[in-house]
Amino acid sequence: MRIGELAEAAGATPRALRHYERQGLITSTRAANGYREYDAHTAVRVRNIRRLLAAGLTLDDVLVFLPCLDGDVTAGPASAKALEVARDRLAVLDARIAAQTELRDRLAAALREAGAEVS
């Protein structure tokens, strides 16, 4: 299938697919006219990549899951490395949330001091 067909089948954009390919997450062959061609099973892989990204992982994190991206990524037990990656990503997200909460609290305090309403 060509890149547009894969994008539609997997719920991604052609740009995202090219990015995934540059990162080594998916592969294609080139037709005589230079167009990318993908195997039909690549749609499953892309949907799994998108599922992991939606869970808060980065593309670098997703590389750890490469061996199981062609099937049901949630079916089997998680590897020790996958759990480590998920825990590390959760710690990063928790730190970002704490930093944003602190900024919000400072801004709200400044607004209160100025006599403005805070929602």
Side-chain angles (χ1 to χ4, degrees), residues 31-119:
N33 60 7
Y35 289 174
R36 287 177 168 91
E37 292 186 344
Y38 299 91
D39 291 329
H41 75 273
T42 306
V44 171
R45 178 175 280 233
V46 171
R47 283 192 293 273
N48 281 325
I49 292 167
R50 294 178 58 75
R51 189 173 294 127
L52 292 169
L53 293 174
L57 299 180
T58 66
L59 285 178
D60 286 337
D61 296 337
V62 172
L63 286 169
V64 172
F65 295 86
L66 211 53
C68 59
L69 289 178
D70 293 327
D72 184 352
V73 76
T74 62
S79 69
K81 183 64 177 169
L83 291 172
E84 178 184 344
V85 165
R87 281 190 201 102
D88 290 348
R89 183 58 45 208
L90 184 60
V92 168
L93 292 171
D94 284 342
R96 286 181 185 166
I97 290 167
Q100 291 294 308
T101 300
E102 182 180 334
L103 287 173
R104 187 220 177 273
D105 292 347
R106 276 193 262 158
L107 181 56
L111 286 170
R112 280 192 296 276
E113 286 175 18
E117 288 188 37
V118 178
S119 57

